[in-house]
């Protein structure tokens, strides 16, 4: 591993662990060069890499500092909210509102590719970052998958990880993004006024058999989260990503 990669990895770990918080100054080029016994060239390359990832921001005439809009989530993968929150140094939370087993209406049947009247499971859950209402998720599952959640404490687990432990991995996922007006449930649980624009991410998760087993309708507070999409359409381990917090 090159020196600049080592420097970038060390700073990245300090940022994601919370040792360096949003708004904190990053050690100067001179300090980093002295610590790593290198020239300023590798240091500048490391800082440039972190800027590209959205972890560090620079202003002319002052040291680089930790960005108030850290790590992002890739658009072409299904990253559990819990894991994403921890990766950006936030504390994830969940407040389950309801879990119901019922007969599918025409809309739910269409989303899951089942017949109207077939049993499905609905989950309504509020997700938080550092106790701040962030996203309201409405999830609908085919019966076989959804029944696995009926006995779980959904405030304490990652649904994605629970389902994976039972062999229901996400083989593929489709995302649709738009903006909608907050309805009464959105407003009450997200702590916004009714009619406030919220960002909606509709998600369709496919199993290895090519069938949809989960349909999600996630509604994010637009003052807490932003969506960004790289124009290349390629998966990237770093750089511009999909979901990112605004300022925390």
């Amino acid at each position: 591993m090159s020196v600049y990669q080592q420097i970038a990895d060390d700073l990245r770990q300090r940022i994601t662990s919370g040792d360096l918080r949003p708004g904190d100054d990053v050690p100067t080029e001179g300090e980093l060069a002295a610590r790593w016994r290198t020239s300023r060239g590798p240091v500048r390359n490391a800082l440039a890499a972190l800027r590209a990832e959205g972890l560090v921001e620079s202003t002319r005439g002052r040291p680089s500092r930790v960005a108030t809009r850290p790590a992002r989530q890739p658009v072409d993968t299904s990253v559990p909210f819990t894991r994403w929150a921890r990766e950006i140094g936030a504390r994830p939370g969940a407040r389950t509102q309801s879990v119901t087993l019922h007969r599918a209406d025409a809309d739910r049947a269409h989303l899951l590719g089942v017949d109207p009247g077939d049993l499905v499971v609905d989950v309504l859950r509020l997700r938080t970052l550092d106790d701040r209402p962030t996203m309201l998720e409405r999830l609908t599952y085919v019966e076989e998958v959804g029944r696995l959640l009926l006995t779980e404490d959904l405030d304490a687990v990652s649904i994605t990880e629970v389902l994976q432990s039972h062999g229901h991995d996400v083989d593929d996922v489709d995302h649709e993004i738009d903006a909608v007006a907050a309805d009464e449930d959105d407003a009450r649980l997200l702590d916004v006024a009714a009619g406030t624009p919220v960002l909606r991410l509709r998600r369709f998760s496919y199993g290895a058999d090519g069938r949809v087993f989960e349909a999600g309708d996630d509604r994010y507070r637009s003052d807490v989260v932003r969506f960004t999409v790289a124009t290349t359409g390629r998966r990237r381990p770093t750089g511009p990503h999909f979901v990112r917090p605004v300022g925390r």
Side-chain angles (χ1 to χ4, degrees):
M1 184 181 296
S2 67
V3 174
Y4 98 82
Q5 289 174 318
Q6 294 178 55
I7 298 171
D9 283 350
D10 179 69
L11 290 174
R12 189 182 296 109
Q13 191 279 328
R14 292 183 63 187
I15 292 169
T16 56
S17 70
D19 180 40
L20 287 173
R21 304 287 295 174
D24 286 352
D25 286 344
V26 174
T28 65
E29 290 183 4
E31 290 170 339
L32 290 170
R35 176 182 176 185
W36 290 90
R37 298 181 181 178
T38 186
S39 66
R40 296 197 179 200
V43 172
R44 289 169 182 161
N45 289 338
L47 294 174
L50 295 179
R51 281 196 297 272
E53 296 173 30
L55 291 172
V56 166
E57 55 192 11
S58 300
T59 303
R60 192 178 187 88
R62 63 158 294 160
S64 296
R65 62 183 176 182
V66 180
T68 56
R69 301 172 181 177
R72 304 160 184 176
Q73 196 178 117
V75 64
D76 55 350
T77 59
S78 182
V79 179
F81 183 95
T82 299
R83 193 174 84 205
W84 168 66
R86 289 171 179 162
E87 286 175 352
I88 65 171
R91 185 177 69 259
R95 303 172 194 166
T96 304
Q97 307 301 308
S98 61
V99 183
T100 57
L101 174 69
H102 61 96
R103 301 287 177 182
D105 58 19
D107 289 339
R108 284 175 172 75
H110 175 71
L111 291 175
L112 294 174
V114 299
D115 293 326
D118 284 356
L119 288 171
V120 296
V121 173
D122 278 355
V123 176
L124 179 64
R125 191 167 66 154
L126 177 67
R127 306 310 308 271
T128 62
L129 291 177
D130 296 330
D131 296 324
R132 185 182 188 185
T134 298
M135 183 263 282
L136 184 62
E137 56 185 5
R138 294 172 170 87
L139 306 170
T140 301
Y141 295 91
V142 296
E143 179 191 7
E144 174 192 0
V145 176
R147 278 190 179 275
L148 299 171
L149 305 176
L150 297 179
T151 57
E152 292 284 345
D153 178 4
L154 299 185
D155 286 1
V157 299
S158 163
I159 290 178
T160 301
E161 293 174 357
V162 168
L163 297 182
Q164 286 176 338
S165 71
H166 289 277
H168 295 289
D169 293 295
V170 176
D171 190 67
D172 199 4
V173 62
D174 288 336
H175 289 138
E176 297 178 2
I177 308 168
D178 62 2
V180 296
D183 64 20
E184 291 184 3
D185 285 337
D186 299 334
R188 176 174 56 87
L189 294 169
L190 291 174
D191 194 21
V192 298
T196 298
V198 293
L199 300 172
R200 179 172 66 174
L201 171 66
R202 300 182 71 191
R203 184 180 67 256
F204 302 90
S205 301
Y206 298 80
D209 59 2
R211 298 178 60 189
V212 176
F213 67 83
E214 174 196 64
D217 181 317
D218 301 338
R219 303 189 181 192
Y220 292 82
R221 281 182 51 157
S222 59
D223 61 333
V224 178
V225 169
R226 290 285 188 273
F227 296 146
T228 59
V229 181
T231 57
T232 61
R234 295 184 293 107
R235 181 176 300 175
R236 297 183 181 186
T238 60
H241 285 81
F242 180 46
V243 180
R244 58 181 170 83
V246 182
R248 288 192 290 108

